[in-house]
Amino acid sequence: METKMFKMKIERETLTELILLLFEEYGYDFRNYSLSHIERRVDSWLSKNMLTVSDNITALVKKDKALAHSLIHQFSISVTEMFRDPELFLNIREKVIPVLATYPFVRIWHAGCATGEEVYSMAILLKEEGILDKCKIYATDFNQSVLDTASKGIYPKDKMLEYTVNYYKSGGKKALTNYFESQYEAIIMNQELKQNIVWANHNLATDASFNEFHFIVCRNVLIYFNEELQLKVLQLFDESLVNHGFICLGDRESIKQDGLNKNVTILDVANKIYQLSCF
Ligand SMILES: C[S@@+](CC[C@H](N)C(=O)[O-])C[C@H]1O[C@@H](n2cnc3c(N)ncnc32)[C@H](O)[C@@H]1O
């Protein structure tokens, strides 16, 4: 009887071939993702698909489109929550929104929005500060299936207790229940929050800027990239911000604001909230 050795590590050469194949045949560029991330994700994808390192993985992925897309999705880690890192939302409320409130209209970009909880949190915050109507939120990710979930805005009810705690810590002014309807074991985010959000497929590794923004939020995404790609994406954000625009990178990134060409004012060191200045 054949014994499958699911735990054996994939060779570096096969990994490189596989990543190149995903780029050349399927248009997804993971060449500058962090190697340790790629290795971990491919190993777990092999086990899930009952494949071993001795199978001709590259040939299988070349032939089987569904298998290739399951691997592509494997590189998308979409863990998120509402009002994640509440003190960050509190600082946005206190330091960013008062400036945005002075503009006639506001464009916000959530890059790597996953299933959308972060985006609805922002919409709630903007609503409470009285500026949601003049804001357009562009929420993007390269993974279409998480975007589909995000646009529906339907989430499990059992998460709401944790999200309510986060919401109050973030300076929430009402009850979180004001912003969704309950249906059996799920909650559905209110239409008034959805109407100013545009959900779109955008790949930070390959796609260009698509607008000029007053505020860009990109948290827990750059950690999966190598330094070269992190820098490239920071430059993309830099080009995409208006003068005096704001950017928030969150507390898990180890990078500094080096990719941002202009001088920046640091509004929150821990959560990496910066405002560009252009002197
Ligand atoms: C851990 S989630 C972060 C969600 C949210 N920003 C947060 O902090 O709660 C990372 C998301 O980044 C997305 N992502 C990874 N690489 C990307 C790329 N090249 N372009 C766009 N999105 C990407 C993944 O698909 C995933 O949904």
Side-chain angles (χ1 to χ4, degrees):
M1 203 175 92
E2 191 190 337
T3 315
K4 292 230 165 191
M5 296 173 69
F6 298 121
K7 289 286 171 211
M8 200 192 280
K9 262 195 171 298
I10 189 163
E11 275 177 20
R12 195 57 66 79
E13 200 183 323
T14 316
L15 209 54
T16 309
E17 259 176 39
L18 205 52
I19 295 303
L20 204 60
L21 175 78
L22 292 182
F23 179 54
E24 287 174 350
E25 295 276 326
Y26 296 95
Y28 285 88
D29 190 355
F30 299 107
R31 290 174 303 170
N32 283 315
Y33 274 51
S34 108
L35 201 58
S36 56
H37 172 60
I38 294 280
E39 272 173 350
R40 272 196 306 274
R41 300 308 284 170
V42 172
D43 278 345
S44 97
W45 171 82
L46 287 173
S47 315
K48 266 194 222 161
N49 287 280
M50 310 282 279
L51 292 167
T52 72
V53 290
S54 53
D55 291 315
N56 190 344
I57 302 158
T58 316
L60 288 172
V61 169
K62 188 172 178 145
K63 209 170 55 188
D64 186 339
K65 219 173 159 179
L67 191 66
H69 279 278
S70 78
L71 178 57
I72 289 161
H73 281 166
Q74 185 73 16
F75 295 126
S76 161
I77 297 187
S78 54
V79 178
T80 184
E81 60 188 58
M82 273 194 193
F83 296 97
R84 184 182 196 178
D85 307 320
E87 72 291 348
L88 175 147
F89 281 92
L90 187 62
N91 278 337
I92 292 176
R93 203 187 272 272
E94 291 177 351
K95 296 178 179 168
V96 179
I97 307 260
V99 180
L100 299 182
T102 64
Y103 300 156
F105 57 86
V106 178
R107 284 183 298 271
I108 300 172
W109 179 12
H110 280 264
C113 66
T115 42
E117 288 87 335
E118 178 187 75
V119 183
Y120 288 111
S121 308
M122 181 67 77
I124 291 170
L125 206 145
L126 297 167
K127 173 86 189 154
E128 291 189 352
E129 299 307 316
I131 65 165
L132 180 61
D133 287 346
K134 65 174 174 178
C135 293
K136 185 71 105 185
I137 306 177
Y138 298 82
T140 63
D141 204 287
F142 85 94
N143 179 344
Q144 190 57 45
S145 91
V146 294
L147 285 173
D148 293 342
T149 302
S151 64
K152 290 189 191 109
I154 302 176
Y155 301 114
K157 196 184 261 175
D158 59 12
K159 295 267 181 188
M160 284 303 141
L161 188 59
E162 181 192 339
Y163 292 170
T164 300
V165 173
N166 283 354
Y167 166 71
Y168 284 123
K169 284 188 186 163
S170 78
K173 292 181 173 170
K174 293 185 173 178
L176 192 55
T177 47
N178 279 285
Y179 302 106
F180 59 80
E181 275 178 31
S182 289
Q183 266 193 19
Y184 306 103
E185 292 313 305
I187 65 100
I188 307 170
M189 299 312 294
N190 287 354
Q191 189 55 33
E192 63 164 357
L193 299 175
K194 293 178 179 169
Q195 62 200 11
N196 292 20
I197 305 173
V198 177
W199 306 98
N201 201 308
H202 180 277
N203 192 326
L204 289 165
T206 45
D207 296 337
S209 177
F210 58 95
N211 214 323
E212 220 182 18
F213 300 96
H214 301 89
F215 187 19
I216 296 177
V217 180
C218 182
R219 300 194 296 149
N220 306 304
V221 181
L222 302 182
I223 39 171
Y224 302 114
F225 301 169
N226 71 13
E227 251 183 75
E228 187 185 334
L229 184 56
Q230 288 179 346
L231 206 64
K232 186 179 151 198
V233 173
L234 280 185
Q235 280 160 7
L236 172 75
F237 291 155
D238 192 82
E239 287 158 27
S240 309
L241 277 169
V242 298
N243 291 337
H244 302 288
F246 295 89
I247 182 160
C248 169
L249 300 173
D251 68 352
R252 283 171 199 86
E253 308 298 348
S254 56
I255 44 170
K256 299 201 179 75
Q257 70 276 18
D258 296 354
L260 304 169
N261 287 324
K262 300 159 191 125
N263 297 318
V264 294
T265 306
I266 301 171
L267 301 182
D268 177 342
V269 189
N271 292 300
K272 300 192 176 57
I273 307 178
Y274 308 122
Q275 183 176 24
L276 296 194
S277 25
C278 53
F279 304 113

